[in-house]
């Protein structure tokens, strides 16, 4: 059944529409080298685009996606020539080096730069906040692959296999959407017997980001694990600013130096009203990070929010290389606190708003699990861009109220009618055009 094409696409930033981005992804997937040399029945870009479509449609399993294999919409909306079966998809994508997918993220990122999508996200002095955090998405005692991290229980000797991903997103405290860069898998590294960890993955990821975006001005925001001398030296080497959490237990020397600075009147404190309570912010510049690295100076700020009876509601402490002044101190606190956005607006969205982040779509023997995780994050990136730039998508999302209702509607329309483009699909949902149409004829073959 064919529904008339969209009538009004005036307000859509065309190059950032879902259709344009799907075309961009297809072009980028065509540049991914195919490790296969002969016997190719399904081209690699089709296999990659099919997996992307599965996450874009939020299908709960490979089997659910397999059921729509003969749907013309996969060709019309995602440009897929030959859709692989579930088995074919697993076989084709398992040996693929996930590193090859980084370039695809960079192509999308460049398009966002061209479309000036990122400019409103500038946080301070031309710099963007880059929020980083790791999270697990797979854990099993039976299923495993060459990339799995292995944890052996000291008590029972039982081995648990795990996968984690270190995410990095550009975000701003005043804006809801986040822009993920290519994440770094926390996986078993070649030639290493020891498990990989978030700290090593962070080092790899930041080096890659600097190489891929040599001029991008960044303020890296991380938790207290990152406020150590080797990491800070690495950040400085990469010309990245930072706002890092700092806990008294980990930084006894630093906190002693701050107390000494109070005695010398070097600490500035500002306070203001917050609702029925009060916020106090103290800062001091140029204090040594720790005893062993006294030449490594950081700027320290401590935020305390109290209620009307003086009870403590919130406490945050950060170190930064940005010079703290009375005029930027409050903004820097907001920058440090923005870190929750990677947990809440990124990983929690992937886990709880229809993306099935923790589902096992197929684990493979080599890289399948990681390839799928990278493609799911890519689907999330395209959705975030739609949410930010496409008025039609925004109108549909507003009409349906929740992300889950939005994905359910997209899937049911996709299943029952034939569309010419994503915009066409959004338009039909927005204006309830499907109701005007005769009942769909189901293809039972
Ligand atoms: Zn694995």
């Amino acid at each position: 059944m064919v529904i008339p094409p969209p009538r009004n696409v005036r307000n859509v930033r065309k190059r950032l529409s879902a259709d344009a981005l799907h075309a961009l992804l297809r072009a980028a997937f065509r540049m991914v080298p195919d490790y296969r040399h002969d016997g190719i029945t399904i081209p690699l870009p089709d296999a990659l685009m099919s997996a992307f479509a599965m996450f874009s449609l939020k299908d709960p399993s490979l089997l659910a996606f397999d059921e729509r294999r003969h749907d013309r919409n996969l060709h019309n909306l995602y440009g897929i020539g030959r859709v692989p079966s579930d088995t074919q998809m697993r076989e084709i994508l398992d040996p693929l080096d996930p590193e090859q997918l980084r370039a695809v993220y960079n192509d999308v990122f460049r398009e966002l730069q061209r479309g000036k999508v990122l400019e409103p996200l500038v946080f301070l002095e031309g710099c963007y906040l880059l929020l980083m955090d790791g999270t697990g998405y797979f854990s099993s005692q039976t299923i495993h692959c060459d990339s799995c991290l292995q944890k052996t229980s000291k008590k029972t000797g039982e081995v648990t296999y795990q996968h984690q991903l270190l995410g990095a997103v550009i975000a701003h405290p005043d804006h809801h959407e986040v822009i993920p860069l290519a994440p770094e898998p926390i996986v078993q590294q070649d030639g290493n017997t020891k498990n990989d960890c978030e700290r090593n993955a962070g080092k790899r990821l930041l080096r890659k980001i600097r190489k891929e975006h040599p001029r991008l001005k960044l303020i890296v925001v991380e938790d207290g694990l990152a406020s150590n001398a080797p990491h800070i030296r690495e950040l400085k080497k990469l010309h990245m600013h930072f706002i890092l959490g700092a806990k008294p237990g980990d930084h006894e020397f630093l906190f002693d130096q701050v107390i000494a600075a109070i005695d010398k009147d070097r600490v500035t404190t500002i306070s203001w009203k917050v609702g029925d309570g009060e916020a106090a912010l103290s800062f001091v510049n140029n204090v040594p990070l720790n005893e062993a690295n006294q030449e490594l100076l950081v700027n320290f700020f401590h935020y305390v929010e109290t209620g009307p009876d003086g009870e403590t509601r919130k406490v945050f402490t950060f170190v930064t290389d940005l010079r703290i002044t009375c005029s930027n101190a409050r903004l820097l606190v907001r920058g440090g606190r923005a870190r929750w956005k990677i947990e809440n607006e990124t990983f929690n969205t992937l886990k709880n708003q229809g993306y099935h982040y923790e589902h096992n779509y197929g684990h493979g023997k080599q890289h399948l699990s990681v390839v799928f995780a990278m493609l799911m994050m890519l689907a999330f990136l395209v959705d975030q861009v739609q949410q930010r730039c496409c008025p039609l998508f925004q109108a549909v999302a507003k009409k349906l109220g929740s992300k889950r209702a939005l994905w359910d509607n997209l899937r049911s329309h996709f299943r029952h009618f034939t569309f010419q483009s994503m915009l066409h699909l959004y338009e039909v949902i927005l204006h309830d055009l499907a109701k005007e149409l005769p009942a769909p004829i189901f293809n039972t073959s």
Side-chain angles (χ1 to χ4, degrees), residues 137-138 143-149 161-163 187 363-366 369-370:
Y137 66 90
F138 170 82
I143 301 167
H144 57 93
C145 71
D146 294 348
S147 310
C148 275
L149 302 174
Y161 301 95
Q162 293 177 340
H163 279 260
V187 291
H363 200 79
K365 293 191 175 74
Q366 294 168 272
S369 168
V370 179

Side-chain angles (χ1 to χ4, degrees), residues 114-359:
R114 252 178 241 134
K116 307 211 180 299
V117 177
L118 299 175
E119 280 176 13
L121 303 181
V122 166
F123 177 72
L124 177 70
E125 295 167 16
C127 298
Y128 298 102
L129 292 177
L130 181 76
L131 319 179
M132 301 209 347
D133 197 20
T135 193
Y137 66 90
F138 170 82
S139 179
S140 168
Q141 283 170 340
T142 50
I143 301 167
H144 57 93
C145 71
D146 294 348
S147 310
C148 275
L149 302 174
Q150 295 185 22
K151 301 262 156 73
T152 309
S153 159
K154 279 188 184 139
K155 260 189 186 168
T156 61
E158 208 165 22
V159 179
T160 306
Y161 301 95
Q162 293 177 340
H163 279 260
Q164 294 166 19
L165 206 60
L166 180 65
V169 303
I170 286 182
H172 188 287
D174 294 337
H175 297 270
H176 189 63
E177 294 80 23
V178 300
I179 303 296
L181 305 183
E184 178 67 17
I186 306 175
V187 291
Q188 204 59 40
Q189 297 296 297
D190 281 347
N192 257 1
T193 46
K194 258 178 78 181
N195 275 327
D196 192 18
C197 63
E198 189 170 325
R199 204 162 145 178
N200 286 342
K203 201 168 166 178
R204 292 195 302 273
L205 180 56
L206 288 170
R207 285 179 183 180
K208 287 174 193 174
I209 289 173
R210 183 43 86 220
K211 202 172 162 200
E212 291 160 349
H213 308 283
R215 285 189 296 276
L216 195 63
K217 291 175 81 178
L218 294 169
I219 301 168
V220 177
V221 184
E222 293 174 90
D223 66 11
L225 285 175
S227 51
N228 61 77
H231 187 65
I232 289 177
R233 287 204 181 95
E234 179 78 14
L235 288 166
K236 285 174 180 268
K237 209 167 89 187
L238 295 170
H239 304 290
M240 293 177 178
H241 296 294
F242 58 83
I243 301 175
L244 310 173
K247 288 183 185 148
D250 301 333
H251 288 287
E252 210 177 318
F253 183 80
L254 174 68
F255 280 76
D256 285 347
Q257 296 300 306
V258 173
I259 290 165
I262 295 172
D263 294 341
K264 289 179 194 159
D265 272 344
R266 280 181 59 211
V267 175
T268 307
T269 300
I270 51 176
S271 59
W272 64 94
K273 287 266 169 222
V274 177
D276 60 353
E278 196 175 88
L281 171 56
S282 304
F283 64 87
V284 53
N285 290 307
N286 293 321
V287 278
L289 180 74
N290 57 38
E291 200 163 9
N293 297 279
Q294 296 208 24
E295 80 296 349
L296 186 63
L297 301 177
V298 290
N299 306 327
F300 170 102
F301 57 114
H302 180 71
Y303 173 88
V304 185
E305 215 174 287
T306 47
D309 300 326
E311 78 278 12
T312 304
R313 284 177 174 169
K314 288 172 186 161
V315 182
F316 302 103
T317 309
F318 302 99
V319 293
T320 178
D321 64 322
L322 297 157
R323 186 167 178 79
I324 311 168
T325 64
C326 285
S327 49
N328 72 9
R330 287 175 67 169
L331 184 66
L332 290 174
V333 172
R334 298 191 70 211
R337 290 179 62 183
R339 210 184 70 83
W340 70 271
K341 275 181 167 282
I342 185 156
E343 203 175 303
N344 221 28
E345 314 253 339
T346 310
F347 290 126
N348 285 350
T349 301
L350 291 175
K351 286 175 188 172
N352 307 321
Q353 292 191 32
Y355 288 85
H356 314 294
Y357 183 64
E358 291 161 308
H359 276 205

